Amino acid sequence: MKLDHSQPLEYSSEQGRLNILGFWIFIGAEVMLFGTLFASYFTLEGRHGSGPSGAEIFEIAPVLFETILLLTSSFTVGLAIHAMRLNNKKAMMTFFIITLVLGLAFLSVEIYEFTHYIHEGAGLTVSAFSSALLTTLGTHGLHVTLGLFWGIFILIQVAKRGFTPETANKSFIFSLYWHFLDVVWIFIFSFIYLKGMM
Amino acid sequence: MKELFPLKQVMGFVFSLVLTAVALSVVMFDMSFAMGMTILLITAFVQAMLQLMVFMHARETEDSGLILANVYYGVFIAVVTVFGSLLALIWGYM
Amino acid sequence: MEFFERFAIPHPSPIIYASMVAIGITLLAIIAGLTFFKKWGYLWREWLTTVDHKRIGIMYLISALLMLFRGGVDALMMRAQLATPEAQLLDSQHYNEIFTTHGVVMIIFMAMAFIIALMNFVVPLQIGARDVAFPRLNALSFWLYFMGAMLFNLSFVIGGSPSSGWTSYFPLAGNEFSPSVGTNYYMIAIQIAGIGTLITGINFIVTILKMRAPGMKLMKMPMFTWSALITNLIITFAFPVLTVALAMGTMDRLFGTQFFTTGNGGMDMLWANLFWVWGHPEVYILVLPAFGIYSEIISTFAKRNLYGYKSMVASMVIISLLSFVVWVHHFFTMGQGAMVNSIFSITTMAIAVPTGIKIFNWLFTLYKGSIRFTVPMMYSLGFLPIFTIGGVTGVMLGMSAADYQYHNTMFLVAHFHLVIIPGVVFAMLAGLTYWWPKMFGFMLNERIGKWAFWFISVGTCVAFFPMFISGLDGQARRMYTYSESTGFGFWNMLSFVGAVALAIGFIIIVYNIYYSTRYASRDIGSDPWDARSLEWATHTPVPEYNFATIPEVDSSEAFWDSKYNGHKLFKGKLKEIHMPNNSGVPFIMSALFFVLGFSFIFSIWIGVIVSLLGICACLMHRSFEKDHGRHISLEEVEKTESELRGGK
Ligand code: HEM
Ligand SMILES: [Cu+2]
């Protein structure tokens, strides 16, 4: 395999560079996926039938908490990549673990939030609004869940194999994914919750 | 220890918290819907750009032109889809 | 017993029972044949696990042809039913099922597969690459598509076909009006195939952007590769919309969500909206590769380089944007106000402009060219006028005020068939004939091919032109019969005659394949058409690594230049070659998707859980696996090369 040592490890192999570009394009597709969910949510937002509306069920505290958890995890995964580029395996793994723990915390709060909604009478099947809300949030949550498993796999590989062009590449791509989920959350936070509570 | 916390990323993080706080103002203070939406749109898109440029390293390789073109294309189409759908199904619906 | 009742066909007929028997016998015959000839190992090693883009292309091709057959039989049945007033051949439910499966099979499983087949085979060769960027994902794409297609076709014999149209509008497609599992099949089979297509989109964008031969700048790519790039771009951004819409439709049907329902705030129009946000780009996904194929063929057989290369590229880039901003023209009559309709009317007409530019470019390429009337060229020449008629009637439909008159009539059916058949089917047949020698090492018989061409092109006109008239007279689409007093009888009989001619054309093509396989000369060299782009620069049959040395390029017609203008394509020395390993995981994972889909369709939750776990295991395996590919040694490359050169 030809390696190009002038670049960070994750870019050093040809396949690695292809993977990164491919993942960016995948993110483009994900933009469209969430764009469609948003389009549907905004269309159905006011149509809550006999169920509760957004303003009636949204609570600011857990949502803010989720936002801060996710923003911080996005920061720490950035630090993990920085540490990887300094070739500091221990720091990288620490930041990575912090990221995943924050992600797990985020998920727990989200699960609490869901049970709260269902308790308030906004279950999945109640109204167009509740279906769209829970599906949009759920899709994001599912992405986070998948990310957690994927992150754990990568962590195991870094622990076992150290930094190789492959593991570095995977870690970098994972960080892209994680930042992207953060961006999606920002839009959920702004245009579902804050707009809904305004 | 210090080299593990590059200034750019720390500043980016602080800035993203500030943006969140600014966005939060729309529910804290009384303001018109238009005003609130303007604030949200600005904070959300700035926040997204911040993640893209600072954390996602979108500009560091020779492919950055492709990467950014791809992201902008996606955002353009997503925005068209959102507003077009709203136009057809709500605002322009009789 | 109750468990098994759900698998019964709710509305059976002798044809369906006959097909059950036929499918059963075919399956048994295949299994017996493979066992008897000891071909299981061969099948697994060479095809099911392959990651070679050429073989994947050929598998797509075979599947597409099979689906063409299935969709074609549906079409013939519809035309036969409508040929005379008040015919009794099909009842209304069966008619509904057949037009639904016809539409889905033709668009999603035939046309998409056909274009992806040709892209798979040709694009890496045209850019001088050894494979696509992600060969493993490419195999996954194919198998997901294949499993989706099989799942969809299974509906015919297990549980009942969908019957709410290929657009599957709610509330008709909801549980209340479509209680059978048919629409579940629709939602889930298309979902699985769609994920495969999305992966293809990403794969080919990266391939084309990053794996071109040295010297091949973007503006020096062959036109088919350009069209593939733009197509895949549209795929990547349009298919997620379909994914979401289908997921929401599935949830409405299986989990009782309220997206498209008529109570509790649900909005059935949202489905139509999302469907067409995907659907209009989809028609360009189909037609752009066709444009690329025509560009290649017309310049090859007019012996001229393509007129207006830059404007060709520019018009495709414009289409890639405009195709996402016109979707509302599919439901002008839904009730949105004049303002919205006007906006989308204007964008719709705007999109005809870049398409028109391309037509003129082809005409100018032909002008003063020395034209060879080969079969591919004849399809291209037939395409120009017929497609123009289809396109112009599209502009008529695009005028929102007038569309109230045309919408949901046979006029619309005539429009889209007269763009899709010359735009996609002709192009596929042209491309198939054109690249056939590269794929299989012999040419299809020209004389038989021309017979097929005449049957197909005349058949298309006879089958679809009458619909303009009966449509303007008020014949609605998707009606299973009409009374004699309407006066539609004559036009529909004419259409039936055209449809039979089309069918004969396809039978002639099948015969041509048989005939040429038996009798055609194998001694055709590697460039039988005197063509212009890189795929003809390598040997026939193409070795698995495509090019022993990577070609170097300095124009959009590098191969032509190497033949006639002294350009040197292959400068490097032979070296050992790195290739990806085969893998069974894509096949296994897709088979699990099949089980997953089937379990969803019939709400068998245990199957859902088990297959999901299996899929996760596949993903995990992929994450942990170390796969560095394999090397073909220098000696082996040298040996293959000298054999191929000798064989010429
Ligand atoms: C010249 C550019 C085109 C224009 C202006 C145009 C316009 C339209 C309009 C306005 C409709 C909706 C009419 C109605 O429902 O009343 C329509 C339907 C359709 N068009 Fe086109 N079209 C064009 C090109 C194409 C191409 C190139 C294709 C495919 C390769 C295509 C495929 C279709 C299909 C499949 C439908 C019908 C879908 C359905 O309702 O089942 N069109 N077109
Ligand atoms: Cu359209």
Side-chain angles (χ1 to χ4, degrees):
Chain A
M1 200 178 352
K2 270 208 307 277
L3 291 184
D4 176 354
H5 294 290
S6 64
Q7 297 198 25
L9 198 55
E10 62 268 27
Y11 287 103
S12 61
S13 74
E14 176 67 35
Q15 190 64 44
R17 287 192 291 271
L18 295 180
N19 291 350
I20 290 175
L21 182 65
F23 200 80
W24 272 103
I25 291 169
F26 171 71
I27 287 181
E30 289 269 71
V31 167
M32 216 32 209
L33 185 105
F34 283 102
T36 312
L37 284 169
F38 277 117
S40 314
Y41 175 79
F42 295 145
T43 308
L44 301 176
E45 196 181 8
R47 305 169 68 101
H48 48 86
S50 51
S53 73
E56 285 161 30
I57 54 171
F58 291 156
E59 293 175 312
I60 190 71
V63 172
L64 196 60
F65 190 38
E66 282 167 280
T67 308
I68 290 173
L69 284 173
L70 216 54
L71 276 177
T72 314
S73 77
S74 178
F75 174 56
T76 52
V77 83
L79 294 180
I81 296 305
H82 182 73
M84 182 173 88
R85 288 187 178 174
L86 296 176
N87 206 9
N88 186 337
K89 184 170 156 189
K90 218 175 114 217
M92 185 272 189
M93 289 185 60
T94 316
F95 284 129
F96 224 85
I97 292 172
I98 297 177
T99 306
L100 296 180
V101 170
L102 289 170
L104 194 64
F106 168 87
L107 263 188
S108 331
V109 183
E110 187 158 54
I111 290 169
Y112 156 77
E113 207 194 319
F114 272 36
T115 52
H116 168 74
Y117 293 154
I118 291 167
H119 198 73
E120 296 278 305
L124 189 64
T125 59
V126 171
S127 67
F129 158 72
S130 67
S131 301
L133 174 72
L134 295 184
T135 305
T136 310
L137 297 180
T139 309
H140 178 265
L142 189 68
H143 275 78
V144 175
T145 315
L146 287 177
L148 285 182
F149 282 103
W150 185 21
I152 292 171
F153 295 165
I154 291 175
L155 205 57
I156 296 175
Q157 291 174 38
V158 173
K160 278 213 298 223
R161 300 176 197 164
F163 293 142
T164 66
E166 281 85 43
T167 54
N169 188 251
K170 285 179 189 175
S171 312
F172 184 76
I173 290 176
F174 174 80
S175 80
L176 291 180
Y177 181 74
W178 201 260
H179 293 308
F180 173 71
L181 292 184
D182 187 38
V183 174
V184 173
W185 180 259
I186 292 300
F187 279 80
I188 292 180
F189 173 65
S190 305
F191 297 113
I192 292 185
Y193 293 113
L194 293 183
K195 176 166 169 274
M197 282 185 274
M198 204 153 67
Chain B
M1 204 53 194
K2 204 159 159 245
E3 83 273 4
L4 290 177
F5 293 91
L7 189 64
K8 194 172 153 200
Q9 303 207 6
V10 175
M11 291 303 288
F13 178 53
V14 172
F15 192 46
S16 73
L17 291 177
V18 172
L19 282 170
T20 311
V22 173
L24 209 57
S25 70
V26 303
V27 293
M28 295 300 159
F29 305 105
D30 224 11
M31 60 177 81
S32 71
F33 184 73
M35 181 68 195
M37 280 312 283
T38 317
I39 294 181
L40 288 181
L41 279 171
I42 294 175
T43 50
F45 276 93
V46 172
Q47 178 92 265
M49 285 307 283
L50 185 87
Q51 292 282 335
L52 197 68
M53 298 305 176
V54 177
F55 290 116
M56 294 170 86
H57 311 276
R59 276 187 308 194
E60 73 186 4
T61 56
E62 78 219 21
D63 291 338
S64 64
L66 299 175
I67 289 172
L68 290 178
N70 167 67
V71 171
Y72 294 147
Y73 183 86
V75 170
F76 168 75
I77 293 171
V79 167
V80 166
T81 305
V82 169
F83 286 98
S85 302
L86 288 174
L87 190 64
L89 299 173
I90 296 186
W91 300 330
Y93 195 80
M94 292 193 304
Chain C
M1 228 27 238
E2 222 181 297
F3 178 81
F4 290 103
E5 262 161 33
R6 64 179 103 183
F7 300 119
I9 297 285
H11 189 69
S13 81
I15 316 179
I16 297 182
Y17 288 128
S19 337
M20 282 185 196
V21 177
I23 292 178
I25 293 178
T26 320
L27 273 181
L28 281 180
I30 293 177
I31 293 174
L34 284 171
T35 314
F36 184 77
F37 293 107
K38 300 203 171 55
K39 289 286 185 203
W40 283 106
Y42 165 78
L43 189 68
W44 176 257
R45 272 191 316 275
E46 303 288 325
W47 297 95
L48 302 190
T49 59
T50 187
V51 295
D52 181 338
H53 70 97
K54 301 180 285 297
R55 289 185 177 222
I56 291 175
I58 287 171
M59 291 194 291
Y60 265 117
L61 184 67
I62 295 170
S63 321
L65 290 173
L66 278 177
M67 290 297 122
L68 180 67
F69 179 74
R70 157 86 212 257
V73 171
D74 284 347
L76 275 182
M77 288 201 280
M78 279 190 284
R79 282 334 309 172
Q81 161 68 17
L82 288 185
T84 53
E86 272 156 87
Q88 300 289 328
L89 193 65
L90 302 168
D91 61 25
S92 64
Q93 175 62 21
H94 282 140
Y95 190 80
N96 295 351
E97 291 175 4
I98 288 176
F99 72 65
T100 303
T101 52
H102 167 74
V104 175
V105 165
M106 284 299 201
I107 300 237
I108 310 267
F109 299 124
M110 187 284 284
M112 287 300 283
F114 220 135
I115 61 165
I116 296 179
L118 293 180
M119 284 193 309
N120 253 298
F121 193 89
V122 177
V123 166
L125 291 173
Q126 267 196 346
I127 62 176
R130 295 225 158 101
D131 208 321
V132 294
F134 311 112
R136 192 74 85 80
L137 283 183
N138 201 19
L140 184 64
S141 285
F142 170 73
W143 288 111
L144 284 176
Y145 150 75
F146 183 81
M147 295 299 171
M150 289 302 113
L151 196 57
F152 188 81
N153 280 283
L154 201 61
S155 69
F156 193 51
V157 289
I158 302 183
S161 300
S163 60
S164 39
W166 84 280
T167 49
S168 216
Y169 276 9
F170 284 79
L172 179 60
N175 280 335
E176 189 183 346
F177 299 107
S178 297
S180 90
V181 294
T183 307
N184 297 354
Y185 270 111
Y186 172 97
M187 298 284 161
I188 286 165
I190 299 181
Q191 183 75 286
I192 294 175
I195 296 170
T197 309
L198 179 60
I199 298 175
T200 301
I202 296 171
N203 204 343
F204 274 82
I205 294 180
V206 179
T207 307
I208 297 174
L209 288 179
K210 296 292 285 181
M211 297 177 68
R212 298 189 307 274
M216 189 183 281
K217 303 235 174 57
L218 276 177
M219 290 310 270
K220 290 189 173 144
M221 295 197 305
M223 198 44 70
F224 180 64
T225 301
W226 253 115
S227 72
L229 176 62
I230 302 289
T231 304
N232 285 297
L233 189 71
I234 304 181
I235 288 181
T236 307
F237 290 92
F239 268 76
V241 183
L242 182 68
T243 306
V244 171
L246 290 171
M248 300 200 311
T250 310
M251 286 168 66
D252 263 15
R253 290 184 56 87
L254 295 181
F255 307 138
T257 51
Q258 308 279 355
F259 292 108
F260 311 129
T261 55
T262 45
N264 296 317
M267 192 195 252
D268 44 5
M269 294 186 307
L270 180 62
W271 165 269
N273 182 72
L274 294 181
F275 184 87
W276 288 114
V277 171
W278 162 79
H280 190 85
E282 164 69 14
V283 305
Y284 279 92
I285 292 169
L286 294 177
V287 88
L288 285 181
F291 289 171
I293 293 172
Y294 289 132
S295 301
E296 301 285 326
I297 289 175
I298 288 179
S299 75
T300 299
F301 296 112
K303 258 198 188 308
R304 294 189 61 195
N305 57 354
L306 192 64
Y307 183 89
Y309 182 94
K310 279 192 192 136
S311 61
M312 283 294 206
V313 173
S315 63
M316 283 196 290
V317 173
I318 294 173
I319 287 175
S320 78
L321 289 167
L322 281 183
S323 68
F324 281 97
V325 298
V326 301
W327 76 92
V328 171
H329 68 216
H330 290 274
F331 46 87
F332 278 146
T333 57
M334 202 168 72
Q336 59 280 27
M339 197 261 294
V340 178
N341 277 358
S342 313
I343 294 174
F344 284 94
S345 247
I346 293 169
T347 52
T348 301
M349 289 186 211
I351 206 169
V353 176
T355 318
I357 293 176
K358 303 186 84 78
I359 301 268
F360 282 106
N361 280 336
W362 290 313
L363 290 176
F364 285 132
T365 310
L366 290 167
Y367 181 67
K368 287 196 176 156
S370 62
I371 294 173
R372 276 182 290 162
F373 288 94
T374 58
V375 170
M377 188 61 164
M378 293 184 59
Y379 280 112
S380 314
L381 296 176
F383 148 82
L384 288 170
I386 306 179
F387 183 82
T388 306
I389 294 171
V392 170
T393 53
V395 179
M396 290 169 71
L397 292 164
M399 294 186 269
S400 54
D403 189 52
Y404 274 78
Q405 184 67 22
Y406 310 129
H407 183 59
N408 262 353
T409 68
M410 293 308 266
F411 190 91
L412 164 71
V413 178
H415 153 65
F416 71 73
H417 282 91
L418 288 174
V419 280
I420 290 190
I421 294 185
V424 184
V425 179
F426 282 22
M428 300 305 125
L429 297 176
L432 183 66
T433 320
Y434 182 62
W435 282 304
W436 187 275
K438 199 81 274 163
M439 292 179 178
F440 300 107
F442 59 92
M443 302 182 69
L444 289 174
N445 186 289
E446 282 280 300
R447 204 166 51 84
I448 307 178
K450 283 180 188 165
W451 275 102
F453 164 76
W454 284 112
F455 269 97
I456 287 177
S457 57
V458 174
T460 304
C461 296
V462 176
F464 295 103
F465 285 159
M467 294 180 191
F468 284 130
I469 299 168
S470 68
L472 288 179
D473 275 351
Q475 189 187 357
R477 71 191 287 203
R478 295 179 175 170
M479 297 295 282
Y480 85 107
T481 192
Y482 50 90
S483 73
E484 177 138 31
S485 60
T486 55
F488 302 149
F490 172 71
W491 302 116
N492 283 284
M493 181 47 95
L494 209 56
S495 278
F496 177 60
V497 173
V500 172
L502 262 165
I504 296 176
F506 284 110
I507 293 173
I508 298 178
I509 290 180
V510 174
Y511 173 71
N512 195 3
I513 293 176
Y514 161 79
Y515 179 89
S516 310
T517 311
R518 282 199 67 167
Y519 302 112
S521 157
R522 261 51 177 181
D523 186 22
I524 54 166
S526 58
D527 176 28
W529 304 110
D530 194 12
R532 312 173 81 87
S533 45
L534 280 184
E535 72 270 30
W536 305 100
T538 179
H539 310 286
T540 302
V542 186
E544 65 162 325
Y545 46 77
N546 295 351
F547 297 94
T549 40
I550 296 296
E552 283 173 40
V553 174
D554 64 359
S555 78
S556 67
E557 302 190 316
F559 180 55
W560 183 263
D561 290 346
S562 79
K563 285 191 293 188
Y564 299 103
N565 301 329
H567 172 73
K568 197 157 180 321
L569 268 183
F570 301 104
K571 293 191 186 126
K573 277 219 290 290
L574 289 185
K575 281 201 208 98
E576 77 169 4
I577 294 176
H578 178 242
M579 295 299 289
N581 281 327
N582 282 0
S583 165
V585 178
F587 176 78
I588 294 170
M589 192 161 142
S590 307
L592 287 165
F593 264 99
F594 183 93
V595 179
L596 178 71
F598 188 85
S599 313
F600 257 121
I601 290 165
F602 290 96
S603 311
I604 306 171
W605 304 117
I606 181 87
V608 170
I609 294 170
V610 171
S611 49
L612 266 181
L613 287 176
I615 290 168
C616 291
C618 290
L619 290 173
M620 204 169 126
H621 170 266
R622 179 62 179 148
S623 177
F624 281 100
E625 143 180 65
K626 277 196 237 172
D627 175 18
H628 296 296
R630 72 204 147 84
H631 289 270
I632 304 179
S633 68
L634 186 56
E635 297 82 75
E636 214 177 312
V637 175
E638 273 166 353
K639 192 164 140 256
T640 320
E641 285 296 301
S642 68
E643 266 167 24
L644 285 170
R645 223 168 283 131
K648 227 197 259 189

